[in-house]
């Protein structure tokens, strides 16, 4: 009996449906209270290049395009545990009316990367929230490293929130 291999189209369709159902997708949410107005925190957060030094694994962020609302940036991150560099291009849409930023990877090494920043009035300050959804499959040893990759993503998110908090409260 001859085995039949699924077509490339069918394989891609299956991968897409798995991604759409959220299997393999990871999501983290980090929050930080800031003693400053939401408008101030929002403006400080927009200056992302200023905070690269606070994000341990981020080597560089380069702005490719910025029209005041939409920003395209090129990122390089190191994953020392994998002896790899990750590269991606990200599109950020900064909405001054809702004080949010929606971002997504438009090309790069990860299978998926997107998220949302929000800056909401909370008492006498701002609740800054950063939610990141990502998927990064590493062949063969991927499952073993998923917790480690999650820690890197969470640590970088916490670092940037702390840096924005510090700059906003000055």
């Amino acid at each position: 009996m001859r085995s039949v291999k699924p077509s490339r189209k069918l394989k891609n369709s299956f991968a897409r449906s798995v991604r759409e159902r959220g299997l393999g997708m990871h999501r983290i949410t980090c929050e930080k209270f800031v003693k400053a107005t939401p408008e101030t925190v929002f403006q400080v957060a927009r200056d992302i290049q200023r905070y690269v030094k606070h994000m341990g694994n981020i080597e560089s962020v380069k702005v490719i395009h910025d029209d005041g609302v939409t920003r395209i940036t090129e990122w390089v991150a190191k994953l020392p545990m994998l002896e790899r560099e990750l590269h991606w291009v990200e599109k950020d849409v900064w909405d001054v009316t809702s004080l949010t930023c929606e971002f997504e990877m438009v090309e790069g090494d990860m299978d998926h990367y997107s998220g949302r920043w929000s800056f909401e009035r909370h008492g006498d300050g701002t609740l800054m929230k950063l939610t990141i959804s990502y998927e990064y499959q590493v062949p063969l040893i991927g499952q073993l490293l998923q917790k480690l990759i999650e820690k890197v993503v969470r640590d970088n998110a916490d670092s940037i929130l702390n840096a924005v908090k510090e700059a906003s409260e000055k």
Side-chain angles (χ1 to χ4, degrees):
M1 183 174 190
R2 199 176 98 182
S3 68
V4 178
K5 292 182 180 180
S7 71
R8 174 178 234 106
K9 187 175 183 178
L10 181 60
K11 283 183 185 177
N12 290 342
S13 173
F14 174 75
R16 192 169 32 259
S17 70
V18 167
R19 189 169 294 122
E20 288 166 359
R21 288 195 313 259
L23 302 177
M25 188 75 68
H26 300 271
R27 176 174 294 200
I28 63 148
T29 299
C30 298
E31 297 179 342
K32 188 71 62 178
F33 177 77
V34 183
K35 291 183 182 179
T37 67
E39 295 78 11
T40 298
V41 180
F42 178 83
Q43 289 303 324
V44 169
R46 289 181 74 167
D47 190 9
I48 193 68
Q49 286 183 293
R50 182 173 162 183
Y51 306 106
V52 172
K53 63 184 174 216
H54 298 283
M55 297 183 283
N57 293 16
I58 303 298
E59 287 291 307
S60 65
V61 178
K62 178 182 174 188
V63 176
I64 298 170
H65 167 82
D66 189 352
D67 64 14
V69 174
T70 301
R71 181 181 298 153
I72 308 293
T73 49
E74 186 175 86
W75 294 72
V76 177
K78 283 199 179 224
L79 292 178
M81 74 293 250
L82 298 176
E83 297 179 359
R84 289 184 129 153
E85 275 191 351
L86 285 179
H87 298 261
W88 72 97
V89 175
E90 181 177 310
K91 175 183 175 184
D92 304 335
V93 179
W94 294 88
D95 185 339
V96 72
T97 305
S98 65
L99 297 178
T100 60
C101 174
E102 303 279 341
F103 58 90
E104 67 179 334
M105 179 185 73
V106 293
E107 67 179 63
D109 297 334
M110 292 175 278
D111 298 291
H112 175 87
Y113 182 78
S114 66
R116 182 175 198 271
W117 281 38
S118 63
F119 307 86
E120 301 170 7
R121 184 163 308 284
H122 189 77
D124 63 343
T126 300
L127 180 62
M128 179 174 44
K129 184 190 284 188
L130 177 56
T131 300
I132 300 171
S133 298
Y134 69 94
E135 183 176 6
Y136 181 54
Q137 299 297 326
V138 181
L140 302 176
I141 57 172
Q143 283 294 39
L144 298 172
L145 294 173
Q146 287 304 321
K147 288 289 185 197
L148 197 51
I149 292 169
E150 180 179 338
K151 181 179 178 352
V152 168
V153 172
R154 184 173 300 282
D155 287 351
N156 280 331
D158 282 335
S159 295
I160 193 166
L161 292 182
N162 286 331
V164 170
K165 174 184 171 71
E166 184 180 314
S168 297
E169 292 179 342
K170 283 185 177 179

